[in-house]
Amino acid sequence: MLRHLYIKNFTLIDQLDIDFHTGFSVITGETGAGKSIILGAIGLLLGNRADSKQIKRGEKKCTIEAHFDLSHYNFESFFISHDIDFDPEDTIIRRELTAAGKSRAFINDTPVSLQDMRTLGEQLIDIHSQHQNLLLQKDDFQLNVVDIIAQDGKVRNDYKISYQLYKTAEQRLEDLKSQLARSQENEEFMRFQFGELDGANLVEGKQEMLEQESETLSHSEEIKSAFYETGRLLSSDDVGIIYQLGQSIDYLSNVSNVYPKAQEIVQRISSAHIELKDIAADISNEVENIDFDPSRLDDINQQLDQLNTLEQKFHVSTEKELIEIRDSLASQLKSIDNSDEELESLEQDVKEKQIACEQQAKKLTALRQKAAKAIEKEMAERLVPLGIPNVRFEVSLSAKPLSADGADKVQFLFSANTSTALEPVAQVASGGEIARVMLSLKAMISGAVQLPTIIFDEIDTGVSGKIAQKMALIMQEMGNHNRQVISITHLPQIAALGSSHYKVEKKETSEGTNSNMRELTGEERVTEIAQMLSGADVSDAALQNARELLNLSVKK
């Protein structure tokens, strides 16, 4: 629950530093005193959009910080998954805004994204404002209420997985149909292109090899002449290098007996002599092998011309890319050739997954139907004491095509009179009736969802007297069992039933308008409720009525 709220330099608030309590609390104050400002500040802790204009004029920064006691709730997994220190008895959420437009969010002094703050904040506080009554017009809200009461989380998750598999299979089938339609339109041209590429006998590296061979054949005479002259210099009689090395070996061998160092040089020259004789033999063979073949050169150039033409035609620069295009065309043509089998296989897969999804949807529908009956019963029990004795409340479940949230369309139908037909609640209920319906729904939901704090912003619009008192009793009930309910109200019947009472006031100072909130003492509560009963001029009768209302709340 919310234990402490600190606000500094936010719109009309200089500084607000206040504690909150468990159970049912009320906030009162004149219209325009700043109650909406406080709600706006709390909304920033829930991840709402920030605006630098919300900073108090003349200040550079504003801060909103809330302390929560989460010791009775299961929030540890959130903190573990986000690598945030967890102190269940004092969890701190802070939002900072600067005049430069920067916004920073923190959970337990750890910087977090706004999305992470929103994810946690939505699990900590539910703010019910008057505009939330419009949710009764929305199918997803009504379905969500049914799901909460049905406690169908596991079945709903199983359905979502099954639905996703079904839609993925369906998308694969549609993609194949689209691909085949496009391919069949271009089939003749694709076969022509594939024939060109396939006929070129493409092999990776072949183009480079042909280019090298073409270069060799184009310079064959020059190459042969170079090898011939090299061979002549090595092997010619009397003047060749090999002959002269042999002579050198003979000269030095003749003196090796009288000059031993000559023998070492002889050995070294002999090694070079043997190596050069091998080289000369290789050169001689190359001279015999190198020959100019005009027909081979023409054939190579034709192949290279074909490859260059294909690369220009297909707008690529390498043979590897041509191979990729060829293989892609082959795959597409294979798909066309095997399209009937592939289509049949995918259609069967879609059918099987649709059946599996429909079976999961039926399980979900069964739980929702059971929950719908429970909702109808509980809503009637809650609305009759709230001044709608002839109420009829029905949860209509009708079939709809498989969708992300199941196969059920939910509508809340309502009638306040026996003679009036059941109609969608948002269309036929008055403002006061809608307020009572929403309060009853929230009370019912709060029993199924462990939400630490619920704030009602003038949920009592359109009601008064005993009905308001009974609404307050419902909020009291909601505040039990480690929950916290805070009601912003203009009605003394509701204000008197709060276990804690806060007042929002606006004062004019020399530095401008300032809004603040404080917790009222016992006598201050009497005066405040008396003012709510009689206006600015508090009479003795009003004070007596206020005490009676407060005494009544104590007895209850």
Side-chain angles (χ1 to χ4, degrees):
M1 70 168 195
L2 177 63
R3 291 178 48 248
H4 185 83
L5 179 64
Y6 173 80
I7 303 173
K8 186 174 178 62
N9 297 330
F10 184 73
T11 63
L12 298 180
I13 298 175
D14 283 339
Q15 182 168 302
L16 174 64
D17 204 355
I18 195 162
D19 292 327
F20 287 90
H21 311 288
T22 189
F24 177 46
S25 301
V26 295
I27 298 175
T28 61
E30 298 293 334
T31 300
K35 299 185 292 295
S36 297
I37 294 173
I38 294 170
L39 283 182
I42 294 174
L44 289 181
L45 296 178
L46 306 185
N48 291 351
R49 183 178 177 275
D51 188 334
S52 59
K53 294 178 182 177
Q54 294 171 312
I55 300 174
K56 190 173 178 65
R57 183 176 296 179
E59 300 295 337
K60 295 181 180 179
K61 174 183 173 182
C62 84
T63 302
I64 301 100
E65 181 176 287
H67 294 243
F68 292 87
D69 181 353
L70 304 181
S71 55
H72 299 286
Y73 306 92
N74 299 318
F75 280 96
E76 188 171 5
S77 60
F78 173 88
F79 290 84
I80 292 174
S81 64
H82 291 81
D83 196 23
I84 300 172
D85 291 338
F86 182 49
D87 183 352
E89 294 182 356
D90 188 22
T91 295
I92 305 170
I93 300 180
R94 186 171 75 255
R95 185 89 177 267
E96 297 177 354
L97 309 179
T98 68
K102 292 183 179 179
S103 169
R104 297 196 300 168
F106 301 86
I107 299 176
N108 288 341
D109 289 328
T110 300
V112 296
S113 69
L114 202 57
Q115 181 57 48
D116 288 343
M117 171 175 272
R118 185 178 296 116
T119 299
L120 179 61
E122 288 174 349
Q123 298 176 66
L124 296 179
I125 300 179
D126 174 30
I127 298 178
H128 181 92
S129 57
Q130 292 183 52
H131 79 270
Q132 271 203 320
N133 291 336
L134 297 175
L135 290 173
L136 283 174
Q137 300 176 6
K138 298 184 180 297
D139 292 346
D140 57 348
F141 170 76
Q142 298 178 54
L143 180 61
N144 189 45
V145 169
V146 174
D147 283 335
I148 289 172
I149 301 304
Q151 296 184 339
D152 56 13
K154 183 182 183 306
V155 175
R156 194 167 69 251
N157 187 60
D158 291 342
Y159 169 80
K160 285 181 179 178
I161 294 171
S162 181
Y163 178 75
Q164 188 57 51
L165 290 172
Y166 163 54
K167 297 306 289 185
T168 300
E170 196 173 55
Q171 187 60 53
R172 282 200 301 266
L173 177 60
E174 291 304 313
D175 289 346
L176 178 62
K177 287 180 177 179
S178 298
Q179 178 187 331
L180 288 174
R182 292 191 301 270
S183 297
Q184 287 167 354
E185 288 177 2
N186 301 317
E187 181 180 358
E188 185 176 344
F189 181 57
M190 288 166 60
R191 291 194 184 279
F192 171 74
Q193 287 183 314
F194 175 76
E196 280 189 306
L197 293 171
D198 192 48
N201 296 318
L202 299 172
V203 178
E204 191 171 347
K206 178 181 177 182
Q207 186 172 13
E208 183 180 356
M209 181 187 69
L210 290 173
E211 287 172 346
Q212 181 59 53
E213 188 176 356
S214 173
E215 190 73 12
T216 299
L217 287 173
S218 299
H219 296 83
S220 59
E221 290 298 325
E222 180 181 345
I223 295 168
K224 189 168 186 174
S225 175
F227 271 87
Y228 175 79
E229 289 298 324
T230 302
R232 186 182 62 79
L233 289 171
L234 289 173
S235 304
S236 63
D237 297 339
D238 300 335
V239 295
I241 294 172
I242 293 172
Y243 172 78
Q244 294 183 38
L245 284 175
Q247 288 293 97
S248 300
I249 291 169
D250 291 340
Y251 289 142
L252 291 174
S253 295
N254 291 334
V255 298
S256 61
N257 291 331
V258 294
Y259 191 72
K261 286 186 177 182
Q263 186 59 41
E264 180 184 345
I265 295 174
V266 166
Q267 290 175 351
R268 292 170 62 188
I269 294 175
S270 295
S271 296
H273 185 250
I274 293 169
E275 179 65 19
L276 284 173
K277 286 173 71 175
D278 286 343
I279 292 172
D282 291 340
I283 288 174
S284 177
N285 290 333
E286 287 298 323
V287 170
E288 295 297 325
N289 291 334
I290 296 171
D291 195 13
F292 178 64
D293 185 352
S295 62
R296 175 58 182 164
L297 182 60
D298 287 343
D299 179 54
I300 289 171
N301 287 336
Q302 285 177 9
Q303 292 184 61
L304 288 172
D305 287 344
Q306 182 185 28
L307 288 172
N308 290 327
T309 299
L310 289 172
E311 286 169 355
Q312 291 178 359
K313 182 175 183 177
F314 288 93
H315 306 289
V316 296
S317 57
T318 66
E319 190 177 27
K320 181 180 178 181
E321 291 171 298
L322 287 176
I323 292 171
E324 290 173 354
I325 294 171
R326 179 199 65 192
D327 293 345
S328 175
L329 287 169
S331 177
Q332 293 179 63
L333 291 170
K334 182 179 179 181
S335 293
I336 293 173
D337 294 337
N338 300 327
S339 59
D340 290 343
E341 293 178 9
E342 196 170 357
L343 274 174
E344 185 178 347
S345 174
L346 283 182
E347 285 170 348
Q348 181 63 28
D349 187 45
V350 169
K351 186 176 180 180
E352 290 173 358
K353 286 184 169 55
Q354 181 180 356
I355 291 171
C357 189
E358 288 170 347
Q359 290 173 344
Q360 288 294 335
K362 286 178 181 178
K363 293 179 184 179
L364 191 54
T365 298
L367 290 176
R368 287 169 172 170
Q369 287 172 337
K370 184 178 179 181
K373 296 300 180 186
I375 292 170
E376 291 172 353
K377 183 175 182 295
E378 184 168 346
M379 286 297 289
E381 291 173 351
R382 289 186 176 277
L383 289 170
V384 169
L386 290 177
I388 316 177
N390 297 315
V391 66
R392 284 180 293 155
F393 189 93
E394 183 178 305
V395 180
S396 170
L397 261 72
S398 56
K400 70 176 183 181
L402 292 172
S403 60
D405 56 15
D408 306 303
K409 178 179 174 61
V410 174
Q411 266 200 321
F412 291 166
L413 304 179
F414 175 85
S415 173
N417 307 296
T418 55
S419 59
T420 306
L422 285 163
E423 297 286 349
V425 61
Q427 296 178 18
V428 296
S430 67
E433 289 168 344
I434 285 179
R436 282 172 272 181
V437 168
M438 284 301 291
L439 177 60
S440 298
L441 286 172
K442 292 276 184 174
M444 181 176 61
I445 291 171
S446 70
V449 178
Q450 289 295 305
L451 189 69
T453 301
I454 301 175
I455 301 175
F456 289 106
D457 183 14
E458 299 184 10
I459 187 70
D460 47 41
T461 300
V463 298
S464 60
K466 289 184 178 180
I467 302 303
Q469 192 175 67
K470 292 187 183 217
M471 292 177 73
L473 289 172
I474 290 176
M475 287 185 273
Q476 264 191 345
E477 174 200 339
M478 293 171 66
N480 296 331
H481 309 297
N482 297 313
R483 282 195 294 270
Q484 180 184 52
V485 175
I486 301 171
S487 176
I488 297 173
T489 182
H490 288 291
L491 297 182
Q493 293 85 355
I494 290 180
L497 286 172
S499 56
S500 303
H501 189 154
Y502 302 85
K503 183 173 182 178
V504 179
E505 299 171 300
K506 184 168 66 175
K507 293 181 180 179
E508 297 295 333
T509 68
S510 58
E511 297 178 355
T513 305
N514 182 40
S515 183
N516 205 352
M517 181 169 74
R518 62 190 177 88
E519 185 173 0
L520 299 181
T521 64
E523 281 305 309
E524 287 175 332
R525 287 193 72 182
V526 173
T527 302
E528 173 68 8
I529 292 171
Q531 286 180 335
M532 296 173 75
L533 285 165
S534 64
D537 297 325
V538 178
S539 63
D540 290 339
L543 289 169
Q544 182 60 32
N545 287 339
R547 288 189 177 91
E548 289 176 359
L549 282 174
L550 286 166
N551 288 334
L552 182 63
S553 71
V554 171
K555 291 177 183 178
K556 291 185 178 296

